[in-house]
Amino acid sequence: MNDLNVNELEQSAVRALAVGCGYNIFVCDSVDSTNNELKRWAAKGSEGGCVLMAREQTAGKGRLGRSFFSPRKGLYYSLLLRPNTPPEETLYFTTAAAVAVCRAIEAASGRQAQIKWVNDVYIGERKVCGILTESSLSGGLTEWAIIGIGINITPPQGGFPDEIAGRACAIFDNEEDCPAGFANLLAARLSCELEKALSEPRAENIAEYRRRSFIVGRAITAVDGGRERRCRVLSIDDKAELEVRYENGELGRLYSGEISVKL
């Protein structure tokens, strides 16, 4: 932590608000990537349950090597886990995190949140949050996993960049509507909801993930290995995989890759 600009006042506020949460929460003003920073902590032997949140990221990360727009208008949050589980379990960390984000947004702001498989949270028809889970294996088991979460609280000055303006949103439409200290409240609530979601029975969590999804029954374009195929989502199974029917009538299952849906 010595290399980070630690905000001791906000750190104390978040910890005080996260009553009963067992995570060790740290707050900084700016970092290249909260996920990258926690990777450095993991390499130095940090225990599971460490949380790092930042007001901005200078090199935010998205899925598939993409950058993640991270201005000083959001909450950028990563949690370090030491799960010692098979690698296929890491998908569940993402789905549990998506449920936790929805719960936290609704509790803190009153706005309804939904999930787009597998790692995006939406308000209405636009994306308000992205989730990136990264992990490292040792002896065939997951040595550490880091759940990274980026939530737009208010729009950036000048609006979102053109490439995402049509699909991105924030919890509040402007800064005037955002209560003072909201980022701290949201971070504290998210910490509590994450701890709960990751520890509750998986069947219950997946059932809520399924209820919150808006893609079941929708026609989508699935992209996997560079190949695009049109299909319709039939259901989300107990492993959070998509059961789909392709245009030629063939049944299939999606457990990774990208999907797009016309809202």
Side-chain angles (χ1 to χ4, degrees), residues 12 71 75 79 82 118 187 191 203 206 225 245 258:
S12 297
L75 171 65
L79 166 65
R82 295 283 191 180
V118 59
S191 298
I206 290 294
R245 185 186 302 276
E258 295 280 294

Side-chain angles (χ1 to χ4, degrees), residues 174-247:
N174 53 67
E175 291 191 28
E176 290 72 25
D177 292 338
C178 181
F182 179 81
N184 292 342
L185 174 63
L186 180 62
R189 192 64 191 234
L190 177 58
S191 298
C192 295
E193 295 295 353
L194 266 174
E195 189 175 42
K196 177 183 176 182
L198 288 166
S199 61
E200 67 191 3
R202 183 168 305 187
E204 293 180 15
N205 192 271
I206 290 294
E208 182 172 347
Y209 182 92
R210 192 180 290 119
R211 289 195 304 270
R212 289 184 176 275
S213 172
F214 61 81
I215 65 167
V216 174
R218 299 258 191 153
I220 66 169
T221 300
V223 183
D224 193 5
R227 183 187 181 192
E228 294 188 1
R229 296 186 70 183
R230 294 282 296 171
C231 57
R232 186 171 296 276
V233 179
L234 302 178
S235 65
I236 300 174
D237 70 13
D238 291 341
K239 295 181 180 179
E241 296 175 359
L242 292 189
E243 297 174 337
V244 302
R245 185 186 302 276
Y246 293 102
E247 289 182 313

Side-chain angles (χ1 to χ4, degrees), residues 11-12 38-39 50 67 114 119 209 218 237:
Q11 187 166 286
S12 297
L38 282 193
K39 285 182 185 178
C50 286
S67 62
Q114 296 178 293
N119 66 319
Y209 182 92
R218 299 258 191 153
D237 70 13

Side-chain angles (χ1 to χ4, degrees), residues 1 6 11 15 24-28 41 50-54:
M1 290 293 295
V6 178
Q11 187 166 286
R15 289 178 174 178
N24 194 10
I25 301 169
F26 300 89
V27 180
C28 69
W41 294 11
C50 286
V51 167
L52 175 65
M53 54 176 285

Side-chain angles (χ1 to χ4, degrees), residues 95-116:
T95 59
V99 169
V101 169
C102 289
R103 292 173 179 172
I105 288 175
E106 291 176 354
S109 72
R111 301 205 63 185
Q112 184 178 3
Q114 296 178 293
I115 299 169
K116 172 179 171 283

